[in-house]
Amino acid sequence: MNRYQEKFYLHVKNTPYYSLNDADQEFIKTQSLHYRFSFQEVRELVTMSIDLEMWQEQPLRSVWQDFSHKKKVMQRAREYYESIKNRPHSYENFDMSAHAEQKLNIVTVEKEHLGLGMCPVASPKTRCCNLLTLDAVESCGFDCSYCSIQSFYNQNTIAFDMNFAKKLEALELDANRTYHIGTGQASDSLMWGNREGVLEALFAFARKHPNVILEFKTKSSNIAYLLEYEVPPNILCTWSLNTPTVITNEEHRSASLHKRIESARAVADKGVKVGFHFHPIVVYENYLHEYEAVYKELLNTFSPDEVALVSFGTLTFIKPVMKQLRERNFKSKILQMPFEDANGKYSYPLALKREMFRHAYESFVPWHNKVFFYLCMEEHTLWSETLGYAYATNVDFERDMLRRYSEKLGMEYLFN
Ligand code: SF4
């Protein structure tokens, strides 16, 4: 092996090179040996090749052009990659049959602390509602390609805390303030039903603390426990919704759109207040048209007094999640998007966000001023540009949200 070959294998060591198919590995090696690419260039070629394969687009090797100078070669490769990445993609010929289902390992463990804290993705740089999140279960059994949970936990291990109920029972809260606590961040709130007595413990917690707005956020249709038992009035059930196209191709193992809406309808029929999160809204060919169909279905299926909230948000990535996605060797178009810096994270350009959020909000005119609408984890400026109103601070946002939710749930709002 010559000196550069040795160098090449050192270059690829810290890249997902070996997650590539054989043909791409061979191609990158051949070109690297020929052009003596630097570590940065090799890593870039690997990342571009991983992405093109994940997106099921033409690989670099099928559009490669040779030039006398490597700068030109890399420039052409980047131009091709960027042109594919930044155009609205289509899921029309996207083949999910090769999607590798991950085997789940479900364990019951003794956790030291109760997982209660600030929303893990909240940021002072964005307009945030100061949600408190309660980890009833750790990690999720659904497999949404864009989800940041995968970078927090060991993705294949679902952990139940054997002392969750005891810890919750012992939790002391200020009875003179209204709290908003959500259980849908570290895992799905309903997919496990009452496994390990989780829902029973949460119902008891809600009864003991009538000043807590307890939000179950879910992509599941597992509502058996809610239909069987009386649901405390301070529990809010919210479904994350998306178009059938995104659900089929990017939200693996989760309930279909129809099943989610049907479940929300059944729970609302029991008098439980519901809500809907459109997060992430994903850009692809014809996306506005497909989202509009979902918005219309909600307007036709629910009346505004049954619905406490509708929220909008979009894809926002941190580097560890992007790295994990590229190492997973699976099929997804979720990273095939134009990126812009969003407060240290990666997200769509503001122009696309204005388009999607304005379209979403304008699709719910009949519910304006009757249902609480908000943007989740977004730039301050986008609020007035898309919803026509904005909050000066996160505390103002939180207070108005809690006041509106309390009204809808028939609770007294305790100003804090
Ligand atoms: S707005 Fe979204 S990200 Fe921010 S705290 Fe609320 S739920 Fe979390």
Side-chain angles (χ1 to χ4, degrees), residues 118-123 126-133 180 185 215 217 277 279 311 345 374-378 383 394 397 401:
M118 273 299 278
C119 170
V121 286
S123 151
T126 52
R127 186 54 68 235
C128 264
C129 71
N130 295 336
L131 172 74
L132 287 175
T133 57
H180 177 207
Q185 266 64 27
E215 181 179 345
K217 192 164 100 174
H277 299 280
H279 194 175
S311 84
K345 299 177 182 175
Y374 71 96
L375 302 182
C376 177
M377 196 171 63
E378 283 301 340
W383 280 72
N394 288 356
F397 174 16
M401 175 189 267

PDB file of all heavy atoms in Angstrom, residues 118-123 126-133 180 185 215 217 277 279 311 345 374-378 383 394 397 401, ligand 1:
ATOM      1  N   MET A 118     -37.483  21.519  31.629  1.00  0.00           N
ATOM      2  CA  MET A 118     -37.856  22.387  30.511  1.00  0.00           C
ATOM      3  C   MET A 118     -37.825  21.592  29.208  1.00  0.00           C
ATOM      4  O   MET A 118     -37.017  20.678  29.047  1.00  0.00           O
ATOM      5  CB  MET A 118     -36.847  23.535  30.381  1.00  0.00           C
ATOM      6  CG  MET A 118     -37.169  24.739  31.223  1.00  0.00           C
ATOM      7  SD  MET A 118     -38.765  25.481  30.794  1.00  0.00           S
ATOM      8  CE  MET A 118     -38.262  26.461  29.392  1.00  0.00           C
ATOM      9  N   CYS A 119     -38.689  21.947  28.274  1.00  0.00           N
ATOM     10  CA  CYS A 119     -38.730  21.305  26.953  1.00  0.00           C
ATOM     11  C   CYS A 119     -37.307  21.248  26.388  1.00  0.00           C
ATOM     12  O   CYS A 119     -36.629  22.277  26.305  1.00  0.00           O
ATOM     13  CB  CYS A 119     -39.619  22.119  26.029  1.00  0.00           C
ATOM     14  SG  CYS A 119     -39.536  21.604  24.327  1.00  0.00           S
ATOM     15  N   PRO A 120     -36.851  20.040  26.002  1.00  0.00           N
ATOM     16  CA  PRO A 120     -35.450  19.880  25.618  1.00  0.00           C
ATOM     17  C   PRO A 120     -35.035  20.666  24.383  1.00  0.00           C
ATOM     18  O   PRO A 120     -33.861  20.934  24.187  1.00  0.00           O
ATOM     19  CB  PRO A 120     -35.314  18.375  25.378  1.00  0.00           C
ATOM     20  CG  PRO A 120     -36.687  17.880  25.148  1.00  0.00           C
ATOM     21  CD  PRO A 120     -37.601  18.787  25.910  1.00  0.00           C
ATOM     22  N   VAL A 121     -36.000  21.062  23.568  1.00  0.00           N
ATOM     23  CA  VAL A 121     -35.602  21.801  22.357  1.00  0.00           C
ATOM     24  C   VAL A 121     -35.919  23.282  22.461  1.00  0.00           C
ATOM     25  O   VAL A 121     -35.722  24.034  21.519  1.00  0.00           O
ATOM     26  CB  VAL A 121     -36.255  21.196  21.091  1.00  0.00           C
ATOM     27  CG1 VAL A 121     -35.588  19.899  20.729  1.00  0.00           C
ATOM     28  CG2 VAL A 121     -37.742  21.011  21.247  1.00  0.00           C
ATOM     29  N   ALA A 122     -36.406  23.720  23.655  1.00  0.00           N
ATOM     30  CA  ALA A 122     -36.710  25.138  23.815  1.00  0.00           C
ATOM     31  C   ALA A 122     -35.426  25.949  23.722  1.00  0.00           C
ATOM     32  O   ALA A 122     -34.347  25.451  24.036  1.00  0.00           O
ATOM     33  CB  ALA A 122     -37.364  25.371  25.170  1.00  0.00           C
ATOM     34  N   SER A 123     -35.524  27.193  23.266  1.00  0.00           N
ATOM     35  CA  SER A 123     -34.343  28.048  23.165  1.00  0.00           C
ATOM     36  C   SER A 123     -34.740  29.493  23.415  1.00  0.00           C
ATOM     37  O   SER A 123     -35.783  29.934  22.938  1.00  0.00           O
ATOM     38  CB  SER A 123     -33.735  27.912  21.769  1.00  0.00           C
ATOM     39  OG  SER A 123     -33.091  29.116  21.414  1.00  0.00           O
ATOM     40  N   THR A 126     -35.509  31.514  20.279  1.00  0.00           N
ATOM     41  CA  THR A 126     -36.762  31.372  19.530  1.00  0.00           C
ATOM     42  C   THR A 126     -37.914  31.737  20.463  1.00  0.00           C
ATOM     43  O   THR A 126     -37.735  31.811  21.681  1.00  0.00           O
ATOM     44  CB  THR A 126     -36.947  29.918  19.045  1.00  0.00           C
ATOM     45  OG1 THR A 126     -36.798  29.045  20.168  1.00  0.00           O
ATOM     46  CG2 THR A 126     -35.925  29.556  17.987  1.00  0.00           C
ATOM     47  N   ARG A 127     -39.107  31.958  19.887  1.00  0.00           N
ATOM     48  CA  ARG A 127     -40.269  32.264  20.713  1.00  0.00           C
ATOM     49  C   ARG A 127     -40.798  30.939  21.257  1.00  0.00           C
ATOM     50  O   ARG A 127     -41.291  30.117  20.477  1.00  0.00           O
ATOM     51  CB  ARG A 127     -41.305  33.028  19.896  1.00  0.00           C
ATOM     52  CG  ARG A 127     -42.491  33.537  20.613  1.00  0.00           C
ATOM     53  CD  ARG A 127     -42.174  34.415  21.835  1.00  0.00           C
ATOM     54  NE  ARG A 127     -41.575  35.708  21.479  1.00  0.00           N
ATOM     55  CZ  ARG A 127     -40.408  36.111  21.978  1.00  0.00           C
ATOM     56  NH1 ARG A 127     -39.723  35.320  22.770  1.00  0.00           N
ATOM     57  NH2 ARG A 127     -39.920  37.294  21.650  1.00  0.00           N
ATOM     58  N   CYS A 128     -40.634  30.698  22.557  1.00  0.00           N
ATOM     59  CA  CYS A 128     -40.962  29.392  23.122  1.00  0.00           C
ATOM     60  C   CYS A 128     -41.968  29.492  24.261  1.00  0.00           C
ATOM     61  O   CYS A 128     -42.020  30.505  24.943  1.00  0.00           O
ATOM     62  CB  CYS A 128     -39.677  28.705  23.580  1.00  0.00           C
ATOM     63  SG  CYS A 128     -39.073  27.593  22.312  1.00  0.00           S
ATOM     64  N   CYS A 129     -42.744  28.426  24.467  1.00  0.00           N
ATOM     65  CA  CYS A 129     -43.877  28.434  25.409  1.00  0.00           C
ATOM     66  C   CYS A 129     -43.495  27.942  26.800  1.00  0.00           C
ATOM     67  O   CYS A 129     -44.376  27.808  27.665  1.00  0.00           O
ATOM     68  CB  CYS A 129     -45.005  27.580  24.849  1.00  0.00           C
ATOM     69  SG  CYS A 129     -44.644  25.825  24.890  1.00  0.00           S
ATOM     70  N   ASN A 130     -42.218  27.665  27.026  1.00  0.00           N
ATOM     71  CA  ASN A 130     -41.757  27.217  28.349  1.00  0.00           C
ATOM     72  C   ASN A 130     -42.460  25.957  28.849  1.00  0.00           C
ATOM     73  O   ASN A 130     -42.664  25.780  30.055  1.00  0.00           O
ATOM     74  CB  ASN A 130     -41.938  28.342  29.382  1.00  0.00           C
ATOM     75  CG  ASN A 130     -41.065  29.535  29.072  1.00  0.00           C
ATOM     76  OD1 ASN A 130     -40.028  29.391  28.399  1.00  0.00           O
ATOM     77  ND2 ASN A 130     -41.481  30.716  29.476  1.00  0.00           N
ATOM     78  N   LEU A 131     -42.792  25.092  27.916  1.00  0.00           N
ATOM     79  CA  LEU A 131     -43.424  23.830  28.292  1.00  0.00           C
ATOM     80  C   LEU A 131     -42.533  23.045  29.254  1.00  0.00           C
ATOM     81  O   LEU A 131     -41.316  23.002  29.081  1.00  0.00           O
ATOM     82  CB  LEU A 131     -43.650  22.981  27.026  1.00  0.00           C
ATOM     83  CG  LEU A 131     -44.124  21.544  27.228  1.00  0.00           C
ATOM     84  CD1 LEU A 131     -45.596  21.526  27.635  1.00  0.00           C
ATOM     85  CD2 LEU A 131     -43.904  20.713  25.975  1.00  0.00           C
ATOM     86  N   LEU A 132     -43.145  22.427  30.253  1.00  0.00           N
ATOM     87  CA  LEU A 132     -42.403  21.483  31.094  1.00  0.00           C
ATOM     88  C   LEU A 132     -42.649  20.090  30.524  1.00  0.00           C
ATOM     89  O   LEU A 132     -43.790  19.747  30.195  1.00  0.00           O
ATOM     90  CB  LEU A 132     -42.905  21.543  32.537  1.00  0.00           C
ATOM     91  CG  LEU A 132     -42.508  22.770  33.350  1.00  0.00           C
ATOM     92  CD1 LEU A 132     -43.198  22.742  34.716  1.00  0.00           C
ATOM     93  CD2 LEU A 132     -40.989  22.829  33.514  1.00  0.00           C
ATOM     94  N   THR A 133     -41.584  19.300  30.394  1.00  0.00           N
ATOM     95  CA  THR A 133     -41.784  17.959  29.845  1.00  0.00           C
ATOM     96  C   THR A 133     -41.554  16.915  30.939  1.00  0.00           C
ATOM     97  O   THR A 133     -40.667  17.062  31.768  1.00  0.00           O
ATOM     98  CB  THR A 133     -40.818  17.691  28.676  1.00  0.00           C
ATOM     99  OG1 THR A 133     -39.484  17.863  29.140  1.00  0.00           O
ATOM    100  CG2 THR A 133     -41.077  18.646  27.527  1.00  0.00           C
ATOM    101  N   HIS A 180     -48.145  23.863  32.721  1.00  0.00           N
ATOM    102  CA  HIS A 180     -48.398  23.139  31.472  1.00  0.00           C
ATOM    103  C   HIS A 180     -47.306  22.091  31.343  1.00  0.00           C
ATOM    104  O   HIS A 180     -46.128  22.436  31.184  1.00  0.00           O
ATOM    105  CB  HIS A 180     -48.359  24.112  30.286  1.00  0.00           C
ATOM    106  CG  HIS A 180     -48.548  23.452  28.949  1.00  0.00           C
ATOM    107  ND1 HIS A 180     -48.017  23.994  27.783  1.00  0.00           N
ATOM    108  CD2 HIS A 180     -49.180  22.300  28.575  1.00  0.00           C
ATOM    109  CE1 HIS A 180     -48.328  23.198  26.760  1.00  0.00           C
ATOM    110  NE2 HIS A 180     -49.023  22.178  27.213  1.00  0.00           N
ATOM    111  N   GLN A 185     -42.615  14.269  24.728  1.00  0.00           N
ATOM    112  CA  GLN A 185     -41.299  14.637  24.185  1.00  0.00           C
ATOM    113  C   GLN A 185     -40.333  13.465  24.193  1.00  0.00           C
ATOM    114  O   GLN A 185     -39.723  13.147  23.203  1.00  0.00           O
ATOM    115  CB  GLN A 185     -40.700  15.811  24.959  1.00  0.00           C
ATOM    116  CG  GLN A 185     -40.982  17.161  24.340  1.00  0.00           C
ATOM    117  CD  GLN A 185     -42.477  17.504  24.333  1.00  0.00           C
ATOM    118  OE1 GLN A 185     -43.226  17.012  25.179  1.00  0.00           O
ATOM    119  NE2 GLN A 185     -42.907  18.279  23.368  1.00  0.00           N
ATOM    120  N   GLU A 215     -50.676  17.555  29.075  1.00  0.00           N
ATOM    121  CA  GLU A 215     -50.865  17.322  27.640  1.00  0.00           C
ATOM    122  C   GLU A 215     -50.257  15.999  27.205  1.00  0.00           C
ATOM    123  O   GLU A 215     -49.060  15.771  27.417  1.00  0.00           O
ATOM    124  CB  GLU A 215     -50.248  18.465  26.824  1.00  0.00           C
ATOM    125  CG  GLU A 215     -50.435  18.287  25.326  1.00  0.00           C
ATOM    126  CD  GLU A 215     -49.859  19.420  24.474  1.00  0.00           C
ATOM    127  OE1 GLU A 215     -49.550  20.498  25.026  1.00  0.00           O
ATOM    128  OE2 GLU A 215     -49.719  19.205  23.248  1.00  0.00           O
ATOM    129  N   LYS A 217     -49.242  14.195  24.071  1.00  0.00           N
ATOM    130  CA  LYS A 217     -48.999  14.411  22.642  1.00  0.00           C
ATOM    131  C   LYS A 217     -48.685  13.068  21.996  1.00  0.00           C
ATOM    132  O   LYS A 217     -47.879  12.308  22.531  1.00  0.00           O
ATOM    133  CB  LYS A 217     -47.839  15.380  22.443  1.00  0.00           C
ATOM    134  CG  LYS A 217     -47.707  15.877  21.014  1.00  0.00           C
ATOM    135  CD  LYS A 217     -46.825  17.103  20.923  1.00  0.00           C
ATOM    136  CE  LYS A 217     -45.444  16.747  20.461  1.00  0.00           C
ATOM    137  NZ  LYS A 217     -44.602  17.934  20.227  1.00  0.00           N
ATOM    138  N   HIS A 277     -50.897  19.256  16.285  1.00  0.00           N
ATOM    139  CA  HIS A 277     -49.583  19.830  16.003  1.00  0.00           C
ATOM    140  C   HIS A 277     -49.178  19.472  14.579  1.00  0.00           C
ATOM    141  O   HIS A 277     -49.123  18.284  14.237  1.00  0.00           O
ATOM    142  CB  HIS A 277     -48.532  19.266  16.962  1.00  0.00           C
ATOM    143  CG  HIS A 277     -48.794  19.541  18.402  1.00  0.00           C
ATOM    144  ND1 HIS A 277     -48.492  20.746  19.000  1.00  0.00           N
ATOM    145  CD2 HIS A 277     -49.329  18.763  19.388  1.00  0.00           C
ATOM    146  CE1 HIS A 277     -48.822  20.700  20.279  1.00  0.00           C
ATOM    147  NE2 HIS A 277     -49.334  19.510  20.541  1.00  0.00           N
ATOM    148  N   HIS A 279     -46.144  19.569  12.937  1.00  0.00           N
ATOM    149  CA  HIS A 279     -44.710  19.785  13.227  1.00  0.00           C
ATOM    150  C   HIS A 279     -43.976  18.459  13.084  1.00  0.00           C
ATOM    151  O   HIS A 279     -44.166  17.590  13.936  1.00  0.00           O
ATOM    152  CB  HIS A 279     -44.590  20.306  14.684  1.00  0.00           C
ATOM    153  CG  HIS A 279     -43.256  20.865  14.980  1.00  0.00           C
ATOM    154  ND1 HIS A 279     -42.942  21.459  16.156  1.00  0.00           N
ATOM    155  CD2 HIS A 279     -42.119  20.903  14.239  1.00  0.00           C
ATOM    156  CE1 HIS A 279     -41.689  21.878  16.129  1.00  0.00           C
ATOM    157  NE2 HIS A 279     -41.174  21.539  14.978  1.00  0.00           N
ATOM    158  N   SER A 311     -50.852  23.912  16.426  1.00  0.00           N
ATOM    159  CA  SER A 311     -49.509  24.509  16.340  1.00  0.00           C
ATOM    160  C   SER A 311     -48.836  24.131  15.029  1.00  0.00           C
ATOM    161  O   SER A 311     -49.180  23.110  14.417  1.00  0.00           O
ATOM    162  CB  SER A 311     -48.643  24.036  17.516  1.00  0.00           C
ATOM    163  OG  SER A 311     -48.064  22.779  17.227  1.00  0.00           O
ATOM    164  N   LYS A 345     -28.975  26.030  14.589  1.00  0.00           N
ATOM    165  CA  LYS A 345     -29.488  24.747  14.102  1.00  0.00           C
ATOM    166  C   LYS A 345     -29.704  24.887  12.588  1.00  0.00           C
ATOM    167  O   LYS A 345     -29.498  25.965  12.038  1.00  0.00           O
ATOM    168  CB  LYS A 345     -30.815  24.417  14.803  1.00  0.00           C
ATOM    169  CG  LYS A 345     -30.655  24.283  16.319  1.00  0.00           C
ATOM    170  CD  LYS A 345     -31.975  24.037  17.014  1.00  0.00           C
ATOM    171  CE  LYS A 345     -31.800  23.966  18.529  1.00  0.00           C
ATOM    172  NZ  LYS A 345     -33.085  23.853  19.261  1.00  0.00           N
ATOM    173  N   TYR A 374     -50.225  28.653  17.448  1.00  0.00           N
ATOM    174  CA  TYR A 374     -48.881  29.132  17.741  1.00  0.00           C
ATOM    175  C   TYR A 374     -47.836  28.454  16.872  1.00  0.00           C
ATOM    176  O   TYR A 374     -48.093  27.399  16.285  1.00  0.00           O
ATOM    177  CB  TYR A 374     -48.560  28.959  19.227  1.00  0.00           C
ATOM    178  CG  TYR A 374     -48.352  27.547  19.721  1.00  0.00           C
ATOM    179  CD1 TYR A 374     -47.062  27.024  19.814  1.00  0.00           C
ATOM    180  CD2 TYR A 374     -49.410  26.749  20.126  1.00  0.00           C
ATOM    181  CE1 TYR A 374     -46.856  25.730  20.284  1.00  0.00           C
ATOM    182  CE2 TYR A 374     -49.224  25.466  20.611  1.00  0.00           C
ATOM    183  CZ  TYR A 374     -47.934  24.969  20.693  1.00  0.00           C
ATOM    184  OH  TYR A 374     -47.733  23.682  21.157  1.00  0.00           O
ATOM    185  N   LEU A 375     -46.694  29.110  16.772  1.00  0.00           N
ATOM    186  CA  LEU A 375     -45.546  28.529  16.080  1.00  0.00           C
ATOM    187  C   LEU A 375     -44.643  27.905  17.148  1.00  0.00           C
ATOM    188  O   LEU A 375     -44.417  28.513  18.200  1.00  0.00           O
ATOM    189  CB  LEU A 375     -44.765  29.597  15.319  1.00  0.00           C
ATOM    190  CG  LEU A 375     -45.505  30.400  14.262  1.00  0.00           C
ATOM    191  CD1 LEU A 375     -44.535  31.382  13.578  1.00  0.00           C
ATOM    192  CD2 LEU A 375     -46.162  29.500  13.224  1.00  0.00           C
ATOM    193  N   CYS A 376     -44.136  26.719  16.888  1.00  0.00           N
ATOM    194  CA  CYS A 376     -43.297  26.027  17.870  1.00  0.00           C
ATOM    195  C   CYS A 376     -41.823  26.197  17.517  1.00  0.00           C
ATOM    196  O   CYS A 376     -41.422  25.839  16.397  1.00  0.00           O
ATOM    197  CB  CYS A 376     -43.651  24.548  17.910  1.00  0.00           C
ATOM    198  SG  CYS A 376     -42.616  23.584  19.012  1.00  0.00           S
ATOM    199  N   MET A 377     -41.069  26.777  18.454  1.00  0.00           N
ATOM    200  CA  MET A 377     -39.616  26.875  18.305  1.00  0.00           C
ATOM    201  C   MET A 377     -39.201  27.680  17.069  1.00  0.00           C
ATOM    202  O   MET A 377     -38.290  27.280  16.324  1.00  0.00           O
ATOM    203  CB  MET A 377     -39.054  25.458  18.204  1.00  0.00           C
ATOM    204  CG  MET A 377     -37.568  25.344  18.435  1.00  0.00           C
ATOM    205  SD  MET A 377     -37.036  23.635  18.553  1.00  0.00           S
ATOM    206  CE  MET A 377     -37.417  22.966  16.981  1.00  0.00           C
ATOM    207  N   GLU A 378     -39.889  28.801  16.809  1.00  0.00           N
ATOM    208  CA  GLU A 378     -39.567  29.578  15.615  1.00  0.00           C
ATOM    209  C   GLU A 378     -39.085  30.984  15.945  1.00  0.00           C
ATOM    210  O   GLU A 378     -39.283  31.484  17.043  1.00  0.00           O
ATOM    211  CB  GLU A 378     -40.781  29.650  14.685  1.00  0.00           C
ATOM    212  CG  GLU A 378     -41.028  28.375  13.886  1.00  0.00           C
ATOM    213  CD  GLU A 378     -39.868  27.967  13.007  1.00  0.00           C
ATOM    214  OE1 GLU A 378     -39.007  28.803  12.686  1.00  0.00           O
ATOM    215  OE2 GLU A 378     -39.772  26.754  12.690  1.00  0.00           O
ATOM    216  N   TRP A 383     -43.705  35.295  13.592  1.00  0.00           N
ATOM    217  CA  TRP A 383     -45.051  35.337  14.173  1.00  0.00           C
ATOM    218  C   TRP A 383     -45.911  36.403  13.500  1.00  0.00           C
ATOM    219  O   TRP A 383     -46.950  36.106  12.928  1.00  0.00           O
ATOM    220  CB  TRP A 383     -44.945  35.586  15.673  1.00  0.00           C
ATOM    221  CG  TRP A 383     -44.611  34.364  16.453  1.00  0.00           C
ATOM    222  CD1 TRP A 383     -43.404  33.712  16.501  1.00  0.00           C
ATOM    223  CD2 TRP A 383     -45.477  33.652  17.336  1.00  0.00           C
ATOM    224  NE1 TRP A 383     -43.478  32.637  17.348  1.00  0.00           N
ATOM    225  CE2 TRP A 383     -44.741  32.576  17.883  1.00  0.00           C
ATOM    226  CE3 TRP A 383     -46.805  33.828  17.727  1.00  0.00           C
ATOM    227  CZ2 TRP A 383     -45.295  31.660  18.779  1.00  0.00           C
ATOM    228  CZ3 TRP A 383     -47.359  32.923  18.628  1.00  0.00           C
ATOM    229  CH2 TRP A 383     -46.616  31.859  19.148  1.00  0.00           C
ATOM    230  N   ASN A 394     -41.069  35.120  25.928  1.00  0.00           N
ATOM    231  CA  ASN A 394     -41.547  33.738  26.074  1.00  0.00           C
ATOM    232  C   ASN A 394     -42.556  33.631  27.218  1.00  0.00           C
ATOM    233  O   ASN A 394     -43.509  32.855  27.160  1.00  0.00           O
ATOM    234  CB  ASN A 394     -40.370  32.800  26.313  1.00  0.00           C
ATOM    235  CG  ASN A 394     -39.537  32.621  25.049  1.00  0.00           C
ATOM    236  OD1 ASN A 394     -39.899  33.136  23.987  1.00  0.00           O
ATOM    237  ND2 ASN A 394     -38.428  31.907  25.159  1.00  0.00           N
ATOM    238  N   PHE A 397     -45.913  34.654  25.974  1.00  0.00           N
ATOM    239  CA  PHE A 397     -46.439  33.558  25.164  1.00  0.00           C
ATOM    240  C   PHE A 397     -47.016  32.483  26.076  1.00  0.00           C
ATOM    241  O   PHE A 397     -48.179  32.072  25.946  1.00  0.00           O
ATOM    242  CB  PHE A 397     -45.293  33.025  24.292  1.00  0.00           C
ATOM    243  CG  PHE A 397     -45.566  31.802  23.459  1.00  0.00           C
ATOM    244  CD1 PHE A 397     -46.844  31.342  23.184  1.00  0.00           C
ATOM    245  CD2 PHE A 397     -44.493  31.091  22.921  1.00  0.00           C
ATOM    246  CE1 PHE A 397     -47.062  30.206  22.413  1.00  0.00           C
ATOM    247  CE2 PHE A 397     -44.699  29.958  22.137  1.00  0.00           C
ATOM    248  CZ  PHE A 397     -45.995  29.516  21.894  1.00  0.00           C
ATOM    249  N   MET A 401     -50.956  31.327  26.430  1.00  0.00           N
ATOM    250  CA  MET A 401     -51.287  29.930  26.108  1.00  0.00           C
ATOM    251  C   MET A 401     -52.028  29.278  27.279  1.00  0.00           C
ATOM    252  O   MET A 401     -53.092  28.671  27.111  1.00  0.00           O
ATOM    253  CB  MET A 401     -50.006  29.140  25.815  1.00  0.00           C
ATOM    254  CG  MET A 401     -50.210  27.658  25.589  1.00  0.00           C
ATOM    255  SD  MET A 401     -48.649  26.778  25.518  1.00  0.00           S
ATOM    256  CE  MET A 401     -48.348  26.800  23.751  1.00  0.00           C
TER     257      MET A 401
HETATM  258  S1  SF4 B   1     -42.574  26.287  21.614  1.00  0.00           S
HETATM  259 FE1  SF4 B   1     -42.120  24.148  21.114  1.00  0.00          FE
HETATM  260  S2  SF4 B   1     -39.902  23.954  21.420  1.00  0.00           S
HETATM  261 FE2  SF4 B   1     -40.557  25.807  22.440  1.00  0.00          FE
HETATM  262  S3  SF4 B   1     -40.932  25.183  24.552  1.00  0.00           S
HETATM  263 FE3  SF4 B   1     -42.879  25.089  23.453  1.00  0.00          FE
HETATM  264  S4  SF4 B   1     -43.012  22.941  22.777  1.00  0.00           S
HETATM  265 FE4  SF4 B   1     -40.873  23.318  23.316  1.00  0.00          FE
END
